[in-house]
Amino acid sequence: MPIKEVPNVMQLITILLFVGFGVSLNSHAENTINLLSRDDLNSHYAIGIIKLGLDKAQYPYRFEINHSKFSEERYRQDAQDGIVDIIWSAANQTLEKQLIPIRVPLYKGLLGYRIFMVHKNNKNIFASVHTLEDLRKFTFGQGRLWPDTLILRANSLKVETSNYEGLFLMLDGSRFDAFPRAIFEPWAEIEARPNLNLTIDENIILGYKMPFYLYVSPKNPALAAALEKGLLMAVADGSFDRYFYNDPTVKKALEISDIKKRRVIELKNPNLSDKTPVNTEELWLDISQFNKTH
């Protein structure tokens, strides 16, 4: 009788070990994170930041990235619906209510410093501009749902809107005077469109408080918690700053934008949430290094 029971006991032990091993595997299983990417500078930078944060938080993951073209409306709706897990965008209160914002400015506030992309025939159109009132004589291009559109209009600037690709074509067709871009954006964007007659103004920089956040779908709060934890760890140990300052695009932009020679015109941002960490110094670029002149 005992001899017959031994195999049963061994089988039971084997089953228990197998189940335990399976649970262990499941506890370390990779989480699939769905993303939409335009394959532009912001997308590459943001995906790198996501990796940094999740690695710091020891959150196992794998990416499923959709590289197809999409509208801003679809981008946001898919995140609300949980089809997409994380998106990235400039801060605005509406988006912060619809999704879960990770309030760590990805570009340390650099996004709020804007230089103008202009038509080659208008390279010196802003040479005599010194004040916000002077700027009100011109018309600017922006995305339909971009927070920047609200900021410019709130400061009584004239704005024409379109989708992202349409803005370059409209500027090439002189439908408006300038396309304000973050200081790390326009060089690569112009290089990617050699058939268009576009260049960069060398006179003006707009300045306003504009954090660029990651937003997580409300369907995935565990991912949001891990990402926030990991990014704050990266800020604290300096790896966030290393990522930012060593990003080739950011590094190049800080070198060639020559901010100290530009006239800085400050705008107010009325759409910042009261939860914006404006007083957390380590999250922001020290703008004193820009040596601003007015």
Side-chain angles (χ1 to χ4, degrees), residues 11 34 60 67 81 100-102 105 119 122 144 152 159 162 187 228 243 246 258 273 287:
Q11 288 174 8
N34 293 292
H67 298 276
D81 295 341
I100 304 174
I102 308 301
H119 193 284
N122 293 331
R144 293 190 186 98
L152 268 60
V159 181
S162 182
W187 285 276
E228 181 177 56
Y243 180 88
N246 288 303
D258 212 1
S273 163
I287 61 173

Side-chain angles (χ1 to χ4, degrees), residues 142-160:
Q142 291 287 272
R144 293 190 186 98
L145 296 178
W146 293 0
D148 311 88
T149 303
L150 299 175
I151 295 171
L152 268 60
R153 285 177 171 163
N155 286 269
S156 300
L157 295 174
K158 291 177 285 188
V159 181
E160 291 285 340

